[in-house]
Amino acid sequence: MKYAPIRNYINGEFVEAATERSLDVISPVDGTLLSTVPLSNNQDLDAAVQAAKAAFPTWSRTTIKERVQVFFRYKALLEKNLKELALLVQEENGKTYDEAVAEIEKGAELAEFACSLPQIVTGEILEVSRGVECRTEHVPLGVVASIVPFNFPSMVPNWTIPNAVALGNCMIIKPSEKVPLSVGRLAELLQEAGLPKGVFNVVHGDRDVVEAICDHPGIEAVSFVGSTKIAKLVYQRATNNLKRCLALGGAKNHLIVLPDAIPGMTAQNITASMAGCAGQRCMAASAMVAVGPVDHIIEKLCEEARNVVPGKNLGAVINRDSKERIERYITEAEKLGAKVLVDGRSPKVEGKENGTYVGPTVIDYVTPDMAIAKEEIFGPVISIMRTKTVDEALAIENANPYGNAASVFTQNGGMARYVMDRASAGMVGVNVGVPVPREPFSFGGWNESRFGVGDITGKSSIEFWTKLKKSTTKWNPEAGINWMS
């Protein structure tokens, strides 16, 4: 085992879980046993909640100007330790080193946005009547929790940590049991940056801890990122316990390709979107809708896909179950009449035979009723459906239950606007394979890709992590009383 057994991080210290139950942490890169992760119980969670509650009065009364100083230093530490952090992400998640570097850099950008919060969360004040002022201010909620997925071990935690904590909350984070190493290192960097004990806590575990978070009366709000099936359950359970909840689910992102799209640029963008991070991201291209005569673009797409090599510029998928599930989708589609143009099943990766790899896969003549066209694959696979018109393409996009992202590839501005206006997705792009907004713009989908109100990053997240206090004051009794005062 490469690393010592993982421990929870509570009140500024790494501590043993109350339970002896644990899981092995296996690297998808080559099957190496990295560590073991504890499956914590209610006792562990309650200890973290009590530590956070004890820290909250002092932390919440600290001015936001002072609180964000921690994140100036934290951002610098992310950058200083970039190589180490990227290698850790690569080991436990399986993505390429360059992708892991980009993940850490995005985390630094998220911390940078948190540093700007004093200039954004200024509240409002207005003299509403002679001598009477109304004022609003953002007040932290208290103890909050964040449940994060395996596909971005460092970036997705940084979707929530900087903003929630800089706004005055104390946080408990539950990492994915598949990738528990990175968050522990983030805890060390936050401590080094000067974050007081108890403000940030890490509790490892599985479903039991997730349910305990949703049920615990000391937790005011819960954010979740994962599959739609689990996002629904978390949202229902947390809100049933009268908590705020924002739960982000899965996706089926459609790229609509028109005949006038630039072939090289389009093929490069689609390939990068479907194969980046081995397709294990909720913004990955999963479905391409080819409108009219676009065979020349599909040919270029296949050329680009063949340049993506597992173990070199394509990382592993998270585990063997995922690999087998992805390959089953491909085989089933082929049996139903789809044509596999580029086949990524069972690739051979020299020196990494125990790794879990799926090569880039391009499948043509997929029909909308096939499972591969409707369900989230979460692998480096693009399914091509063919239509005669843009309206037929939009009908396919609109019919899918998700609503994270959609893009159109065209050189016609009017047609681009037509698609953007009609796509049923929270994030849309033109000639962009992964239309992720960057700070200060927020991240969040629609439909069954998001449960709750608001977005998880950017300015929109402020409303989720705070509550508004409205104050009305009057200091001039000589002004008399009227209906406004």
Side-chain angles (χ1 to χ4, degrees), residues 98-307:
D98 287 345
E99 290 168 343
V101 166
E103 176 169 344
I104 306 305
E105 290 175 338
K106 178 61 180 179
E109 182 180 87
L110 292 157
E112 179 181 70
F113 174 76
C115 294
S116 73
L117 286 171
Q119 284 68 51
I120 299 173
V121 191
T122 53
E124 296 175 309
I125 187 167
L126 180 69
E127 186 179 34
V128 295
S129 184
R130 185 56 61 90
V132 178
E133 288 182 344
C134 285
R135 174 182 177 179
T136 63
E137 55 188 311
H138 290 275
V139 177
L141 302 177
V143 179
V144 299
S146 183
I147 303 164
V148 294
F150 73 81
N151 56 333
F152 288 94
S154 183
M155 185 193 76
V156 172
N158 280 310
W159 276 0
T160 57
I161 297 168
N163 289 0
V165 174
L167 289 166
N169 299 291
C170 293
M171 175 172 274
I172 297 160
I173 197 163
K174 204 296 281 186
S176 166
E177 59 273 26
K178 297 181 178 74
V179 291
L181 292 162
S182 290
V183 168
R185 189 69 182 102
L186 297 183
E188 292 176 334
L189 294 182
L190 286 164
Q191 187 178 63
E192 186 177 346
L195 192 67
K197 292 181 178 181
V199 175
F200 179 72
N201 306 272
V202 182
V203 178
H204 295 281
D206 57 7
R207 172 179 174 172
D208 291 346
V209 170
V210 172
E211 292 178 348
I213 286 171
C214 294
D215 295 343
H216 200 292
I219 295 173
E220 301 296 328
V222 178
S223 72
F224 172 88
V225 181
S227 71
T228 287
K229 178 182 177 181
I230 307 304
K232 282 182 180 180
L233 295 172
V234 168
Y235 181 78
Q236 290 167 346
R237 189 159 184 152
T239 55
N240 190 54
N241 284 305
L242 307 180
K243 303 181 191 304
R244 288 189 185 188
C245 185
L246 180 58
L248 303 192
K252 192 71 181 177
N253 304 316
H254 290 70
L255 307 185
I256 297 174
V257 179
L258 275 59
D260 70 334
I262 298 173
M265 180 186 71
T266 301
Q268 289 171 1
N269 270 268
I270 294 174
T271 302
S273 180
M274 70 100 162
C277 299
Q280 296 178 125
R281 51 184 176 178
C282 61
M283 293 295 286
S286 181
M288 171 180 159
V289 188
V291 181
V294 296
D295 285 343
H296 60 299
I297 297 174
I298 294 172
E299 289 172 8
K300 196 71 178 175
L301 169 62
C302 292
E303 289 177 20
E304 291 289 337
R306 292 187 183 100
N307 291 327

